[in-house]
Amino acid sequence: MFSIKFKTTDELPEPSPRLIDQIIGQDEALNIVLSAVKNKRHALLLGDPGVGKSMMVKAVGELIEKSSTDFKPYTILAKPNLKNPEKPIVELVEGHYEEKVEIIKPSMVRQPPSILTILIFMIAFTAITSYLMKGLPDSKVLGIIATVSIVAFALAFVIIFLTVFGATKGSMSNAVSPMDLKPVVLYECKKRPLVRASAYNVTKLLGDVKHCPLGGKPPLGTPPHKRIILGAIHEAHKGILYVDEIKTMPPEVQDYILTALQDKCLAISGRNPNSSGATVETNPIPCDFTLIMSGNMDDVNNLRAPLLDRIDYKIVLKNKMENTQENRDKLLQFIIQEIRNNNLHPMTYEACCEIVKIAQLLAGSKDRLTLRLRRLSNIIKMANDIAMGKNIKDIINEMSEEENIKKSETLPVNVDKDKLKSIMGVLNKITEKDKENKEEKEKTGITATDKTKYSKKEIKEKEKIYIDREHVLSVVNTGIYSMTKQVAIDYLRNFKRYKNIVPNDSPKVGVIYGLAVLGSDGIGDVTKIITQIVDSKNPGTHLLNITGDLAKHSITLASALSKKYVSEGKLPLKSEEEIDLNSKEIYIQFSQSYSKIDGDSATAAVCLSIISSLLKIPLKQDFAITGSLDLNGNILAIGGVNEKINAAKEYGFKRVIIPESNMIDVIDSEGITIIPAKTLEEIIPLVFENTSLKSN
C-alpha cells in the first residue's frame, strides 16, 4: 500500500511545518498561483469544497511574508479637512511613521463668580462710590447713580446668564479642541500583507464610516476623520487580497472591486444611507493589490463579465488524483499532518489503509483517490473520538466531577477543602475500584492491581490509544460525516424491511432487480422492476413511479430497443407464440421506489424486463443489474458502481452485472460474483432460463 513499512504512525517522521509542503495533489495549480503572485497577476480558484483552495492561498501568503525584503512599510493616516469637514483627508505615509506627541496644556475654564463674591463686590463698589460722591451736587449724583445702575444691571444679567447656562468661551459651538485636529492612524503595515475577506461582508471588504448620533460636529460629535473604517481592499495594498465564497458577492460590490483594479485607488463613504456617515466621503485611497478569488465551479456564473475579464488566471483545482504508490504516500503524509496538527492519537497501518480505501470510494474508482481532503480529515477526527472509548455515561460523569470541583471551590472558608477532597477521593476509589479494573483490562489487558508486575515502559505502551480500522469503519458505517448519507441510511433502515425483494427466488416473468444510489454522498439500494403487457387498441409505454426527464427518456429508449429486438427475432430466445407489437400496451413499474429516480442506469434492467414480458420467458432472480444502453444495444458506464455492488451484497444476491467499462472502478469484489458486460446480447444467456434458449 505504501512505500514505507510501519505499525503505527508514531514510527513515521514529522511532517514539514511549511504549509506549501502540506498541499497534496494540486502541484499544477500551486505553480500557477505562485507564478501569478510573483508577477502580480489576478487569479480565480475554482473547485469542489475541501480540495485546498484556502490552504493554498494561506501557504502562498506565508511565503510572501518571509520574502518581503524589498517591501517598504507604510502607514495610512486620516486627517481632518478644515475647509470641508465632511471630506476628511486620508494619506499614505511611506516608511516608518512616528507619531508626534504634543503636550497640550489644559486651558483654564472660566467659572461664573459665586453669590458671596458678587455681594462683597457690590458692598465694596457701594462704599467706594459713596466716598467719591461726597461733596458733589445733587444733579450730578443722580446722573452717576443712574449710570451705575444701568452698568450694574447689565453686569448682573451677564453673570446670571453665565451662571444658568454655563456658557464660557471654551464651550462655544465654534470652538475646536486640539485633539480633534490630531491625525488618526488607520492602518500600519510592516510586512507584505495577505488579507482575507468574505464576499458578503461589504463593510469589511470596502470600508465604511461609523455613524455618529450627534452629527459629527465638535464639541459634542465625533469628527468624521475619526470615524473612518478601512476595508480589506485598502489593507491589502502592496499585497494579496483573498476573497472567498464569490457566490455571495453582490453586483455592486463587484463594481467597486473593478474600479479598484482599474484605478488602483478607492474612496470610502458611508454604506448606510440613514446614517450620518452617508454624508462623509474620503479622497481616493491607494489600493494596489493582487486579487485572488475562490469558489465552487458553478459560482463563476455569479461574476460579472467585466470583472471576470480582469482576472488573468482561471484555475480549476482537481478533485481526484491517480491511485499510484507516490500518491498513496502523499495521502499518508496528509494523515500524519492531521494527527500532528490536531493533536490526535496515532493511527495503525490497517486504519491508514482503510483511509486510502475511503479515498477510493469518495473518488468513485479503484484507480483514483479523492482530493476532497477536508472530508477525510473529518473522518480521521471522528475515528479518534471513537477510539477514546467514552460513551454518554462517561462524558456525563466527567462533567459532573468538574461541576463538583467547582462547587467545592466555592465552599465557606471554615470548611477544609483539601480534607473534603481527599475524603471524596477515597470514597470514589473504594466504590469504583472494580469498575476501573474491568475497564482497564478491556482496554489494555492490564488491571490496576497487576500494574506492579510490569515496567513503566510496558504499561505506557499497552495503555496507549491507537486509531484502528474498526474505529474508521464505525464512522463510515454510521455516516456521521455526511448529512445526506445519514438520511439515506435512515431511509434504508426504515423501509428496507417493507420492500418486497426476495433474492435468489424462483425465476419470474417480467421481474428484475435494478440498482440505484441514494443521496449525493452515495449509498446503494436495490429496486424491483416489474413489467406487464396488456392487449389494447391504443398501444404505448406507460411509466410508473418515474421522476426526472433523463429517466423517462431512458426508459422510453429501453422500450423501443426491446421491441426492436423482439420484432427482428435475432435474440437467442425461443418464444412459444407470435407477438403482435401493434396491439400491446406496456406498463413498467419501479415497485416501492420511495426515492427520486433521475438517472439512466436502469435502462438495461428495464429492457430485459420488457423482453421477458413480451416473450413470456422468466428471468432468474439471483442477480441484480445496472447499466445504460445506447440504440445499438451497447452497455455504457454508469456512476456509483461500488455503492451498487455493496447494495447487492447486503441484500444477498449471488451475482451482479455491471458495464465492462466500470470494472476499473470496482474496489471490493469479495462476497459476490461480478459479471462485466459489453452488450445486451451477451447478458441474455446469463439471465434467462436455459430451457428458453435456442440450441445454437
Side-chain angles (χ1 to χ4, degrees), residues 67-126:
S67 61
S68 300
T69 54
D70 59 338
F71 177 76
K72 194 174 182 180
Y74 63 87
T75 304
I76 299 179
L77 305 174
K79 299 179 179 179
N81 188 344
L82 298 179
K83 293 182 179 180
N84 190 351
E86 299 299 316
K87 293 187 177 294
I89 301 169
V90 178
E91 181 181 350
L92 188 144
V93 179
E94 297 282 356
H96 181 67
Y97 173 76
E98 291 185 1
E99 187 177 357
K100 295 179 181 178
V101 180
E102 297 180 0
I103 301 175
I104 302 173
K105 296 181 179 180
S107 57
M108 298 298 294
V109 181
R110 297 177 182 177
Q111 297 293 338
S114 62
I115 297 176
L116 181 62
T117 304
I118 295 173
L119 289 174
I120 295 173
F121 175 76
M122 292 176 63
I123 293 170
F125 179 77
T126 304

Side-chain angles (χ1 to χ4, degrees), residues 12-161:
L12 301 176
E14 290 280 343
S16 172
R18 297 197 313 170
L19 283 177
I20 201 77
D21 298 327
Q22 298 182 13
I23 297 173
I24 295 172
Q26 306 290 353
D27 297 339
E28 184 179 351
L30 181 60
N31 289 335
I32 298 174
V33 172
L34 289 173
S35 176
V37 171
K38 183 179 179 181
N39 298 294
K40 296 184 178 179
R41 303 284 187 263
H42 309 302
L44 174 63
L45 303 180
L46 297 173
D48 294 337
V51 296
K53 299 185 291 290
S54 300
M55 184 178 181
M56 186 177 297
V57 176
K58 191 176 179 180
V60 172
E62 186 182 78
L63 286 181
I64 67 169
E65 285 183 3
K66 295 178 180 179
S67 61
S68 300
T69 54
D70 59 338
F71 177 76
K72 194 174 182 180
Y74 63 87
T75 304
I76 299 179
L77 305 174
K79 299 179 179 179
N81 188 344
L82 298 179
K83 293 182 179 180
N84 190 351
E86 299 299 316
K87 293 187 177 294
I89 301 169
V90 178
E91 181 181 350
L92 188 144
V93 179
E94 297 282 356
H96 181 67
Y97 173 76
E98 291 185 1
E99 187 177 357
K100 295 179 181 178
V101 180
E102 297 180 0
I103 301 175
I104 302 173
K105 296 181 179 180
S107 57
M108 298 298 294
V109 181
R110 297 177 182 177
Q111 297 293 338
S114 62
I115 297 176
L116 181 62
T117 304
I118 295 173
L119 289 174
I120 295 173
F121 175 76
M122 292 176 63
I123 293 170
F125 179 77
T126 304
I128 295 170
T129 305
S130 301
Y131 177 77
L132 294 175
M133 287 191 304
K134 286 183 180 180
L136 292 176
D138 294 340
S139 58
K140 291 183 178 182
V141 172
L142 292 174
I144 292 172
I145 292 173
T147 304
V148 171
S149 299
I150 294 172
V151 173
F153 179 78
L155 182 63
F157 177 79
V158 171
I159 292 172
I160 293 171
F161 179 81

Side-chain angles (χ1 to χ4, degrees), residues 465-482:
I465 298 174
Y466 293 99
I467 304 173
D468 210 346
R469 180 174 180 269
E470 288 72 18
H471 305 136
V472 178
L473 288 176
S474 178
V475 176
V476 176
N477 294 335
T478 54
I480 54 177
Y481 63 93
S482 168

